[in-house]
Amino acid sequence: MQTSHAAPCAAATHARAYHYGYEATSHDTRERQREYHATTILCVRKGGKVVLIGDGQVSMGSTIVKPNAKKVRRIGEGVVAGFAGSAADGMSLLERLEMKLEEHPGQLMRAAVELAKQWRHDKALRHLQAELLVADATTTLTVAGNGDVLEPHDGVMAIGSGGQFAAAAARALCGIDGMEAEDIALKAMKIASEMCVYTNSNFVTEVLIATAPVEAKA
């Protein structure tokens, strides 16, 4: 198994990584860094709940072209997903992941791995400019075009240009007694929207009940 030297998102620094495909070149890395200046998607697991939240801003360079895009949605049975990057490419990848879930019902990890393999090796898919953050009742994953499938160690994971701000804030807030997953996700996203110019405060949220929750720790 090869390990990619390209980090798909800063928020996934402390995550388990599965790599499928050959190593990304420095050119791949530079291209991906430019592509993901688009949004913030955050997932928080705490107290038996899984919350996936994303903002609604679509940017083209320094211009905001849409403030209320829906980048977080439910796919398949009991799976929520969000994307960062090109809207068209993100939707295309969500559709392909949904097809993989139909082939492997109830197996999010396997579906994500199969998508990562196809994404990395298919010449047409390889040029899609997006990254996915997906979750079900037991698992949270990011799937990237360089073949990486990442799983967080603590129940918090984020992607997009504001992902590192949202993840850092969420991890800090998880240590506060009495704050539920929805409150943590909302507050963390608010912080990210105040720090990242590509992220606004028009949030879309999806909530699942975790059957085996992984508690986020401070």
Side-chain angles (χ1 to χ4, degrees):
M1 182 180 295
Q2 290 180 300
T3 301
S4 169
H5 297 293
C9 70
T13 302
H14 303 290
R16 194 184 316 166
Y18 310 84
H19 185 78
Y20 303 89
Y22 49 82
E23 292 186 356
T25 65
S26 59
H27 174 73
D28 291 332
T29 304
R30 289 193 298 271
E31 287 301 309
R32 286 166 53 74
Q33 287 173 342
R34 286 196 290 268
E35 288 157 8
Y36 297 149
H37 282 190
T39 192
T40 301
I41 308 293
L42 170 69
C43 184
V44 176
R45 290 177 178 267
K46 186 180 182 183
K49 290 185 178 181
V50 184
V51 179
L52 189 69
I53 184 171
D55 78 301
Q57 181 170 313
V58 176
S59 305
M60 183 177 294
S62 59
T63 303
I64 298 173
V65 296
K66 187 174 183 179
N68 59 346
K70 186 177 180 181
K71 306 171 192 175
V72 170
R73 61 192 63 214
R74 290 178 180 260
I75 62 171
E77 183 66 29
V79 177
V80 291
F83 65 86
S86 164
D89 291 351
M91 292 302 299
S92 177
L93 288 167
L94 289 180
E95 290 174 1
R96 290 176 183 276
L97 178 59
E98 191 164 11
M99 287 189 287
K100 294 297 183 184
L101 286 167
E102 290 174 357
E103 295 175 12
H104 310 290
Q107 302 178 68
L108 179 59
M109 176 66 80
R110 183 173 179 182
V113 167
E114 292 301 319
L115 176 62
K117 290 178 180 178
Q118 182 182 17
W119 189 355
R120 188 54 175 163
H121 294 293
D122 189 294
K123 290 183 179 180
L125 293 181
R126 195 179 301 167
H127 299 290
L128 295 182
Q129 302 175 0
E131 185 175 10
L132 301 182
L133 176 54
V134 298
D136 63 8
T138 62
T139 306
T140 302
L141 301 168
T142 63
V143 188
N146 67 347
D148 282 341
V149 179
L150 300 176
E151 183 178 12
H153 73 295
D154 61 356
V156 174
M157 183 166 258
I159 60 173
S161 54
Q164 58 186 336
F165 306 126
R171 289 190 172 107
L173 292 169
C174 282
I176 300 176
D177 292 337
M179 286 198 75
E180 297 186 354
E182 296 102 315
D183 299 327
I184 292 168
L186 187 61
K187 180 63 176 176
M189 283 293 292
K190 185 73 166 58
I191 292 170
S193 71
E194 293 171 351
M195 300 183 71
C196 175
V197 297
Y198 298 101
T199 301
N200 67 13
S201 57
N202 291 332
F203 304 137
V204 174
T205 305
E206 292 286 353
V207 180
L208 296 175
I209 301 301
T211 56
V214 177
E215 296 289 341
K217 299 178 181 179

